[in-house]
Amino acid sequence: MSTKVSRSNASSRIAGIAACCIAAVLVAAPWWGSIATERLIGEFMVYLALATLWNLLAGYTGLVSVGQQAFVGIGAYTLISLALLAGWNPIFAVPIAGLVAAIIAIPIGKLVFRLQGAYFAIGTWVIAEAIRLFVAQITMLGGGSGISLPTDIMKMVGETKFWREATIYWLALALGLGALALVYSLLRSKLGLALTAIRDNELASESLGVRIERIKFTVYVLVAGMTGMVGSLIELQKVRMSPDAGFSVNDWTAFVIFIVVIGGIGTIEGPIIGTLLYFVLREFLADLGSIYLMILGTLAIVVMLFAPKGIWGFVKDKFGITLFPTSYHVKLGDD
Amino acid sequence: MEQFNAILQGVLVGGLYALFAAGLSLIFGVMRLVNISHGDLIVAAAYLSWSVVQVTGLHPLLCVIIAVPVAAGFGYIVQRGILNRTLGKDILPPLLVTFGLSVIIQNGLLQSFSADSRKLDAGWLETKSFELLPGVAVGLFPVMIFAAAVATIWALQHMFYKTKLGRAFRATSDDSEIAQLMGLDNRKVYAQAMAICFAVVALAGVFFAIRANFDPFMGPGRLIFGFEAVIIGGLGNLWGTLAGGVILGVAQAIGAQLDPGWQVLAGHVAFIIVLALRPRGLFPRTSE
């Protein structure tokens, strides 16, 4: 009998093949779906990306930020500035928006990292609020009432409506699936090993030489940069932007947190399940308005109290399924 | 003189911010919990007192007699029923559960009271003012709020350091396991602390409702003001929290003088400066 150390198992190999098929079908959506379908999937990808990134931050490094809307807003407004004031093609502004968000995240991180745990959470929120109020003071960017990207700038994205919608859709797809791929490959790397160690036991991993503070800071800046890119995508999808919408704590952080918690924090699959559930619930219950939000809040509380690992954690414990294997298993058998 | 007046108003508003902050500070001190729905609870207390006034026709200040005990009882139940289950080494559960509560309270208030803004009318109390110095007039009501803040901080301080209950709070805060070995029931101690926190929240809510218009979505703003006061003043120091509230109020008043759009932003800037230069706050407890 021999032993074999392996990451993948049957369910993860099936998932890998399925993921490739799904990705191929999604890429072709402009040709088989309506514009409404593209927009729905595009919005799905936005939440998938935000949830995956927040999960990386909170689920693996324990940095519970309630201020990620700061980077969404920064990304959106960077794109507006570059397109409107410098005449850039908005698509080229997307990576720059990420870069700007990451650079701004450095001093913000230096400040909020002085606060511990729960105070860190509210500290990030205060900074986001400060940036929102600051942006509302800039009259060149529309002040508090907001600003739209004019048609001639949107035409730079694509000459016809079909190509415009398709380009924005593919960008959404690239960022949504890209965030997943990034987190997946990150967790399988050396950094991922350190992150998992931090998640499981901070003290023990530090004593074994993991440089916790530096890793946490790196992840914080990386997540901020990706979140900034998602923010610039949101601007392209919405065309219109205001400080209240771009820096909304409900839209870009509260819902995202609920998605991750309900789906299963600290797993790659959790945010996917959570985003799916969020969209299904919204489809059926959004007409209820504020009651829908109360249901969502209650659901998050119930999950946190009675199944803190979320839906995916429950499934994983019960059936031993992993779709995105990041850990190693020892297999016994004859080879 | 106009500047001086504005700063004086800022100092008095700081009293209200200290009332927002006092409960937050107490709860963090006793059980290391940061309640994200703290601001929404203040707004809920404002609606509670508004409803009491509507039903009973009591004077707004007198409805404190009803709002405070009701809120305290509610706090005890919330802690025992929900929040005690979230306490542990992991900071995520209490944060997420109170975040969920925040969304539920906001939308529950929206559902019950609509998005229209309300205000409690305290009649002559609000308009009465007296001349402190020649040319410097202060309103009676802002002075009352400030006096209430000082009295509340004093009472909390006294309770914390001079009473049996306060001893239980400090013991649990220092080492909850040993405190339990000595016969304290942590769950009960936490619930008592939350009851006191809610009582202060109700008091703050009544003053808040008289002072300005309120709507269901003003909670997060109140949480942030309270939080800033706590951090500026220094963690674990109640008198520091009062000072933090005053500094925040003055910063906002100066900001508003420069440009009305800068009022709240100036408060955030003051907070960021303190965080950058004195991360432990201006008056941290250990330096006493």
Side-chain angles (χ1 to χ4, degrees), chain A residues 47-319:
Chain A
Y47 274 100
L48 180 63
L50 290 176
T52 301
L53 291 167
W54 190 82
N55 179 44
L56 175 64
L57 201 59
Y60 287 91
T61 62
L63 294 168
V64 184
S65 165
V66 190
Q68 291 308 96
Q69 68 274 19
F71 304 115
V72 171
I74 288 171
Y77 273 94
T78 306
L79 182 129
I80 295 171
S81 313
L82 287 173
L84 218 56
L85 308 177
W88 280 40
N89 182 331
I91 293 293
F92 298 137
V94 171
I96 306 298
L99 192 66
V100 169
I103 290 171
I104 295 179
I106 294 171
I108 294 179
K110 293 257 184 256
L111 269 180
V112 289
F113 271 57
R114 295 166 169 226
L115 297 167
Q116 295 300 314
Y119 277 123
F120 170 86
I122 307 183
T124 57
W125 193 358
V126 175
I127 304 275
E129 278 297 291
I131 299 174
R132 175 178 70 84
L133 292 168
F134 179 73
V135 170
Q137 292 294 311
I138 307 174
T139 41
M140 234 183 344
L141 294 175
S145 51
I147 196 164
S148 297
L149 285 178
T151 327
D152 53 323
I153 286 181
M154 288 309 286
K155 283 224 163 120
M156 291 160 102
V157 176
E159 203 40 56
T160 61
K161 189 167 175 66
F162 174 85
W163 286 107
R164 219 164 31 241
E165 293 288 341
T167 311
I168 294 170
Y169 168 76
W170 285 323
L171 183 65
L173 207 57
L175 286 179
L177 302 182
L180 267 185
L182 173 88
V183 171
Y184 182 44
S185 52
L186 204 64
L187 290 180
R188 288 172 73 114
S189 72
K190 199 177 151 195
L191 181 66
L193 199 60
L195 283 175
T196 318
I198 294 175
R199 178 194 65 179
D200 292 342
N201 192 330
E202 203 162 302
L203 199 65
S205 50
E206 186 161 36
S207 67
L208 289 170
V210 179
R211 300 171 76 174
I212 290 183
E213 280 306 303
R214 176 186 261 203
I215 289 174
K216 283 186 171 183
F217 194 80
T218 310
V219 170
Y220 180 79
V221 173
L222 183 73
V223 166
M226 284 290 286
T227 307
M229 282 169 70
V230 177
S232 65
L233 163 71
I234 291 167
E235 166 58 22
L236 282 176
Q237 288 174 331
K238 288 189 185 284
V239 182
R240 190 171 167 71
M241 189 50 71
S242 69
D244 287 349
F247 294 91
S248 162
V249 65
N250 275 346
D251 289 350
W252 313 129
T253 298
F255 295 156
V256 169
I257 294 180
F258 290 163
I259 285 173
V260 176
V261 170
I262 294 170
I265 192 165
T267 63
I268 296 178
E269 295 87 346
I272 306 175
I273 306 281
T275 313
L276 278 171
L277 189 70
Y278 172 72
F279 274 78
V280 169
L281 279 179
R282 205 179 66 170
E283 207 58 38
F284 289 105
L285 300 175
D287 291 343
L288 296 174
S290 48
I291 292 184
Y292 159 64
L293 296 175
M294 290 167 78
I295 294 174
L296 206 61
T298 312
L299 192 60
I301 292 179
V302 169
V303 168
M304 197 77 244
L305 290 182
F306 300 104
K309 289 176 179 172
I311 295 174
W312 189 256
F314 179 78
V315 171
K316 198 163 108 179
D317 289 350
K318 195 116 189 167
F319 305 105

Side-chain angles (χ1 to χ4, degrees), chain B residues 105-183:
Chain B
I105 294 170
Q106 280 174 32
N107 288 286
L109 290 175
L110 179 67
Q111 195 67 26
S112 332
F113 295 97
S114 85
D116 298 345
S117 62
R118 320 255 166 182
K119 193 182 166 303
L120 272 186
D121 185 12
W124 63 271
L125 253 182
E126 289 180 59
T127 46
K128 182 100 179 150
S129 70
F130 53 89
E131 219 168 45
L132 201 64
L133 293 166
V136 179
V138 288
L140 174 63
F141 189 63
V143 172
M144 281 177 66
I145 296 180
F146 194 81
V150 173
T152 305
I153 300 276
W154 180 85
L156 286 177
Q157 192 83 5
H158 181 82
M159 180 274 300
F160 209 65
Y161 289 105
K162 299 278 158 63
T163 67
K164 202 177 159 195
L165 184 63
R167 199 163 65 225
F169 286 167
R170 280 180 289 138
T172 314
S173 166
D174 287 346
D175 193 323
S176 57
E177 280 170 20
I178 301 290
Q180 213 150 8
L181 285 179
M182 295 297 140

Side-chain angles (χ1 to χ4, degrees), chain A residues 24-34 37-38 41 169-170:
Chain A
V25 172
L26 286 177
V27 168
W31 288 285
W32 57 257
S34 64
T37 315
E38 283 179 69
I41 302 176
Y169 168 76
W170 285 323

Side-chain angles (χ1 to χ4, degrees), chain B residues 30-137:
Chain B
V30 175
M31 58 187 112
R32 301 284 174 274
L33 174 100
V34 173
N35 181 356
I36 295 214
S37 64
H38 189 80
D40 304 295
L41 290 166
I42 293 170
V43 176
Y47 276 102
L48 172 66
S49 48
W50 184 83
S51 308
V52 169
V53 169
Q54 294 298 311
V55 173
T56 62
L58 275 175
H59 186 275
L61 271 189
L62 284 181
C63 71
V64 167
I65 300 169
I66 297 173
V68 167
V70 169
F74 193 62
Y76 192 91
I77 294 167
V78 167
Q79 183 67 37
R80 286 220 89 145
I82 303 174
L83 295 177
N84 270 344
R85 296 164 180 271
T86 68
L87 295 174
K89 282 215 171 65
D90 193 357
I91 63 153
L92 202 59
L95 264 177
L96 290 181
V97 168
T98 57
F99 207 14
L101 282 179
S102 160
V103 170
I104 293 173
I105 294 170
Q106 280 174 32
N107 288 286
L109 290 175
L110 179 67
Q111 195 67 26
S112 332
F113 295 97
S114 85
D116 298 345
S117 62
R118 320 255 166 182
K119 193 182 166 303
L120 272 186
D121 185 12
W124 63 271
L125 253 182
E126 289 180 59
T127 46
K128 182 100 179 150
S129 70
F130 53 89
E131 219 168 45
L132 201 64
L133 293 166
V136 179

